[in-house]
Amino acid sequence: MENYSPAPDLLKDRIILVTGAGDGIGRTAALSYAQHGATVILLGRTVTKLEKVYDEIRESGAPEAIIHPMDLQNASAEDYKILGDNILEQCGRLDGLLHNAAVLGPRTPLQFYPVDSWMQLMQVNVNAPFMMTRALLPALQAAPEASVIFTSSSVGRKGRAYWGGYSVSKFAVEGLMQVLADELRQTSAIRVNSIDPGATRTAMRKAAYPAEDPSTLKGPEDLMPLYLYVMGSDSKSVTGQALNA
Ligand code: NDP
C-alpha cells in the first residue's frame, strides 16, 4: 500500500467525518483528507486542538472544515441523532466516516481490572461508534457511495495479556465492522472496513510504551496511503475487510 499514489483530487467534494480529529492519527487523517479535496467534519473533545487543525486546513488552501465538539464519553443517543440531522441538513449527505477516537485504559490483569474503567472505555471505544454509526446511516445512505472505517489494533485480532478492556473493545470493533459490512453489502453503496494502524508515533503509543524511542516508529503520515485508499473510490469494491497499515 505504500506504493499507492492517490489522485490529488481523490476526495474532491466529499464530506468526511473524523472522530478524534484533534490529535495523533485522526489529526493527520483529517489534514490529509482535506488536502485531497474533502470537507472534513472534525469531531473531538478538546476544542482548542480541533481549532488548530481547522486553522491548518484553512491555511493549506483546502476546503474549510467544520468543527463538531463532542465528548464520546458522555454523548447520548440524542446527541448522535442531532449530529446526523445536522449533517443531513447542512451537507445533504456523508461520504465517509473514520471512527478513530479511542482510549487505552489500564493495562492490568483482568482480575484486577477496575470495573469503572472497563465501562468507561467501552463507552468510548465501542458504544460510541455503534451509536454514531446508527445515527449517521441515513446521511451515509444519501451519498452516491460511502466508506466507513473502524480503527482496530493487533490486540483486537489476537488477545494479549494485560491489555484488558482495550483489547476486548477492539475485538468488538471488528465485530461491528463485520456485522455492518454484511448488512450493507447487498443493500447499499456503503463499504465498511477496519484498519489496524500498527505501532505509530502518537500520545497513545507513548502512554502504552513509555520507555520506547519514538524515533524508531513510523509516524501517522506514513499510514496515509492506506487511509486515503480505503476512504476514496479506488477501494469501492472492498468491504468487510480487516486491513493492516
Ligand atoms: P491518540 O491518543 O494520540 O489520539 C486519540 C484521539 O481520540 C485524540 O484526539 C483524543 O482526543 C480522541 N478522544 C479520546 N477520547 C475521546 C472522547 N471521549 N471523545 C472524543 N474524542 C476522544 O491516539 P492514536 O492517534 O494513537 O490512536 C488513534 C486510533 O488508532 C485509536 O483507535 C487507537 O486505538 C488506534 N491504534 C493506535 C496505535 C498506535 O500505535 N498509535 C496502534 C493500534 C491502534 P484528545 O486529543 O482530546 O485527547
Side-chain angles (χ1 to χ4, degrees), residues 103-237:
V103 288
L104 183 61
R107 260 105 344 91
T108 187
L110 284 176
Q111 185 181 0
F112 306 114
Y113 202 97
V115 173
D116 286 356
S117 306
W118 180 281
M119 299 299 179
Q120 284 164 12
L121 181 142
M122 291 300 162
Q123 190 64 20
V124 176
N125 292 11
V126 181
N127 299 344
F130 157 65
M131 288 192 279
M132 188 181 296
T133 306
R134 183 180 180 279
L136 297 188
L137 271 169
L140 290 161
Q141 276 153 348
E145 47 133 331
S147 176
V148 178
I149 305 175
F150 289 95
T151 307
S152 186
S153 163
S154 58
V155 297
R157 295 183 180 159
K158 187 173 191 309
R160 193 182 305 159
Y162 316 131
W163 280 72
Y166 181 81
S167 177
V168 174
S169 76
K170 294 299 188 181
F171 272 90
V173 160
E174 296 283 3
L176 260 174
M177 180 279 282
Q178 290 185 15
V179 172
L180 189 66
D182 205 39
E183 286 178 3
L184 297 177
R185 185 176 278 121
Q186 309 294 346
T187 56
S188 78
I190 306 171
R191 59 190 180 284
V192 187
N193 297 284
S194 70
I195 295 179
D196 167 15
T200 309
R201 195 169 53 244
T202 66
M204 183 186 285
R205 178 75 192 183
K206 182 92 190 148
Y209 296 92
E212 185 176 66
D213 175 1
S215 72
T216 61
L217 299 172
K218 65 181 182 299
E221 58 287 353
D222 299 315
L223 308 171
M224 290 307 118
L226 180 63
Y227 276 70
L228 285 162
Y229 169 74
V230 185
M231 192 51 87
S233 296
D234 292 325
S235 62
K236 214 168 171 174
S237 59

